[in-house]
Amino acid sequence: SQELEQSPQSLIVQEGKNLTINCTSSKTLYGLYWYKQKYGEGLIFLMMLQKGGEEKSHEKITAKLDEKKQQSSLHITASQPSHAGIYLCGADLNNRKLIWGLGTSLAVNP
Amino acid sequence: EAGVAQSPRYKIIEKRQSVAFWCNPISGHATLYWYQQILGQGPKLLIQFQNNGVVDDSQLPKDRFSAERLKGVDSTLKIQPAKLEDSAVYLCASPGLAGNNEQFFGPGTRLTVL
């Protein structure tokens, strides 16, 4: 089974709607990284969370880390077509390398 | 600072042919990562270099994949011979300078094996 589970696998929302993507680890998290990827391209770093309860925002994207649940959520407020893409979470499990979720594919309909 | 450069961006080959990818990481960064990302999956680490030495190649299929990093700067990843299941995006990444696991990725090379 996956060490890092992302949900949902895919999401289609209407422009202007809010959405949440979750990333859950089966092991203790020492760092959680969110990236965005356009189809067939490289990953673009969004945010990094390291401390329990930490919350970071960038424009209309907010990410939180729940250390107890070993889970992070990525929330997009008032989604826009430019938010479309694949969102990937990567986790540092204290072995000096990242493991990755399978990604959440987001489509935003205008 | 300049980002991670990769070439080619796209490559189409037939099975059993050979192919090579090139990566120029962020200047001055000792660590370099090569990932394979199959459609619909997250990146899978193939090999990690520290300067020109290999730190981790546990998931590199060594019977057909090879990588080198001469002089601890540019790196090449080679597949010989390619199989259909090697079709994927190959990503090169450099770490950030913050000492955590933040990584900066190149645009990737999309490989299609026919």
Side-chain angles (χ1 to χ4, degrees), chain B residues 22 56 84 93 107:
Chain B
W22 173 81
D56 184 351
L84 296 176

Short mmCIF file of all heavy atoms in Angstrom, two decimals, chain B residues 22 56 84 93 107:
data_model
loop_
_atom_site.label_atom_id
_atom_site.label_comp_id
_atom_site.label_asym_id
_atom_site.label_seq_id
_atom_site.Cartn_x
_atom_site.Cartn_y
_atom_site.Cartn_z
N TRP B 22 19.83 14.55 -20.39
CA TRP B 22 20.86 15.41 -19.80
C TRP B 22 20.24 16.36 -18.79
O TRP B 22 19.10 16.83 -18.98
CB TRP B 22 21.55 16.18 -20.92
CG TRP B 22 22.51 17.22 -20.47
CD1 TRP B 22 23.80 17.06 -20.06
CD2 TRP B 22 22.25 18.63 -20.37
NE1 TRP B 22 24.35 18.26 -19.73
CE2 TRP B 22 23.43 19.24 -19.91
CE3 TRP B 22 21.13 19.42 -20.63
CZ2 TRP B 22 23.53 20.61 -19.71
CZ3 TRP B 22 21.22 20.79 -20.42
CH2 TRP B 22 22.42 21.36 -19.96
N ASP B 56 22.24 7.11 -3.40
CA ASP B 56 21.14 6.14 -3.37
C ASP B 56 20.77 5.79 -4.79
O ASP B 56 20.39 6.67 -5.56
CB ASP B 56 19.93 6.75 -2.63
CG ASP B 56 18.77 5.78 -2.47
OD1 ASP B 56 18.80 4.68 -3.06
OD2 ASP B 56 17.82 6.13 -1.74
N LEU B 84 8.92 -0.86 -23.25
CA LEU B 84 7.68 -0.09 -23.33
C LEU B 84 7.34 0.57 -21.99
O LEU B 84 6.88 1.73 -21.95
CB LEU B 84 6.51 -0.99 -23.75
CG LEU B 84 6.58 -1.61 -25.15
CD1 LEU B 84 5.40 -2.54 -25.38
CD2 LEU B 84 6.63 -0.54 -26.22
N ALA B 93 16.26 17.05 -10.36
CA ALA B 93 15.98 18.03 -9.31
C ALA B 93 17.23 18.39 -8.54
O ALA B 93 18.14 17.57 -8.37
CB ALA B 93 14.91 17.49 -8.36
N PRO B 107 12.17 20.90 -16.10
CA PRO B 107 10.91 20.73 -16.83
C PRO B 107 10.62 19.27 -17.20
O PRO B 107 9.51 18.93 -17.57
CB PRO B 107 11.10 21.57 -18.09
CG PRO B 107 12.57 21.60 -18.29
CD PRO B 107 13.17 21.61 -16.92
#
